[in-house]
Amino acid sequence: AQSVTQLDSQVPVFEEAPVELRCNYSSSVSVYLFWYVQYPNQGLQLLLKYLSGSTLVKSINGFEAEFNKSQTSFHLRKPSVHISDTAEYFCAVILYNTDKLIFGTGTRLQVFP
Amino acid sequence: DADVTQTPRNRITKTGKRIMLECSQTKGHDRMYWYRQDPGLGLRLIYYSFDVKDINKGEISDGYSVSRQAQAKFSLSLESAIPNQTALYFCATRSVSNTGELFFGEGSRLTVL
């Protein structure tokens, strides 16, 4: 069965520092990969996704993630975080040709001034 | 107005009571989902529906039922609420043509005493 592991439940960081949120998945078949973000008191929204093609995908607000098939990882990075990036981030996978999106347990990113 | 609307946003009830959470969407999407969010557990899929006549169980459907009254409406019911159903519930929708991108409501916080 497929699963998603986010090892870090919380990541505290100072403003303008770089950050990496880790995500590993397990699946014996091809997957699509996603990062969702949940700001306080809101629903989740899609941050970025990997379906095919270039293994490096980017969001409009400076985040990027790289699909690494050999390490079964899809880590999220940002070179310089802002206070407004404080949120919970969820990694998710969906098996090719299925419809069920499976979420990780989430990583709470807290950016301090 | 939000594209995916959930009602009620907050509800406190007692053990044994019947509760219905409602979801309506204006995005015209065929696929609708109910997730439950618990701290440290991420989001878990309760039920999902491909269209009005196609409803499927997710990973934690026990104790829940759903009704897809129309393409735009998908309700979640707890026939006899119990305290461990206290959680934040999210409705989400997806277009058939857009792999993995779910659009979430703002959530319904349910407390069962």
Side-chain angles (χ1 to χ4, degrees):
Chain A
Q2 64 184 114
S3 68
V4 181
T5 303
Q6 292 181 250
L7 289 173
D8 305 306
S9 60
Q10 295 188 64
V11 174
V13 64
F14 286 109
E15 194 173 19
E16 298 184 4
V19 71
E20 177 180 83
L21 306 184
R22 296 180 293 170
C23 173
N24 289 88
Y25 68 93
S26 63
S27 175
S28 58
V29 298
S30 296
V31 297
Y32 300 129
L33 295 155
F34 307 83
W35 276 99
Y36 277 79
V37 58
Q38 183 181 28
Y39 297 106
N41 300 313
Q42 295 184 25
L44 282 72
Q45 54 189 283
L46 182 67
L47 184 62
L48 46 76
K49 62 183 178 182
Y50 170 77
L51 302 182
S52 64
S54 173
T55 56
L56 182 65
V57 291
K58 300 184 179 184
S59 72
I60 59 173
N61 60 349
F63 282 94
E64 62 181 36
E66 186 158 21
F67 169 53
N68 188 319
K69 187 174 182 179
S70 63
Q71 297 187 3
T72 60
S73 68
F74 192 55
H75 301 330
L76 182 69
R77 301 183 181 94
K78 188 170 185 179
S80 177
V81 295
H82 191 268
I83 294 285
S84 60
D85 293 324
T86 294
E88 189 151 20
Y89 293 80
F90 292 91
C91 184
V93 303
I94 184 169
L95 290 182
Y96 180 73
N97 265 350
T98 71
D99 200 69
K100 287 188 285 185
L101 197 61
I102 306 298
F103 287 89
T105 53
T107 298
R108 184 171 299 277
L109 174 65
Q110 189 155 10
V111 182
F112 294 93
Chain B
D1 289 340
D3 293 326
V4 183
T5 303
Q6 293 183 230
T7 56
R9 293 291 313 280
N10 287 283
R11 182 72 181 269
I12 300 173
T13 191
K14 295 181 179 180
T15 297
K17 294 291 187 181
R18 184 178 186 273
I19 294 296
M20 179 180 285
L21 306 180
E22 298 185 337
C23 176
S24 63
Q25 53 119 343
T26 59
K27 298 193 73 68
H29 291 167
D30 289 327
R31 305 193 174 194
M32 298 187 73
Y33 306 78
W34 275 105
Y35 282 90
R36 167 179 172 159
Q37 183 178 21
D38 298 276
L41 297 179
L43 277 80
R44 293 178 291 168
L45 182 63
I46 306 173
Y47 271 95
Y48 60 107
S49 170
F50 288 172
D51 63 38
V52 175
K53 296 182 180 179
D54 188 351
I55 293 177
N56 306 276
K57 292 183 177 180
E59 55 184 312
I60 55 163
S61 59
D62 287 349
Y64 302 95
S65 63
V66 291
S67 173
R68 185 82 183 266
Q69 301 96 323
Q71 187 202 37
K73 296 184 182 295
F74 192 37
S75 300
L76 176 71
S77 294
L78 289 68
E79 296 300 326
S80 180
I82 55 177
N84 75 0
Q85 291 177 314
T86 292
L88 185 57
Y89 291 85
F90 285 103
C91 175
T93 72
R94 180 171 88 77
S95 166
V96 171
S97 61
N98 201 340
T99 303
E101 182 170 5
L102 299 181
F103 291 85
F104 284 82
E106 293 187 325
S108 296
R109 185 169 295 281
L110 176 66
T111 303
V112 183
L113 301 176

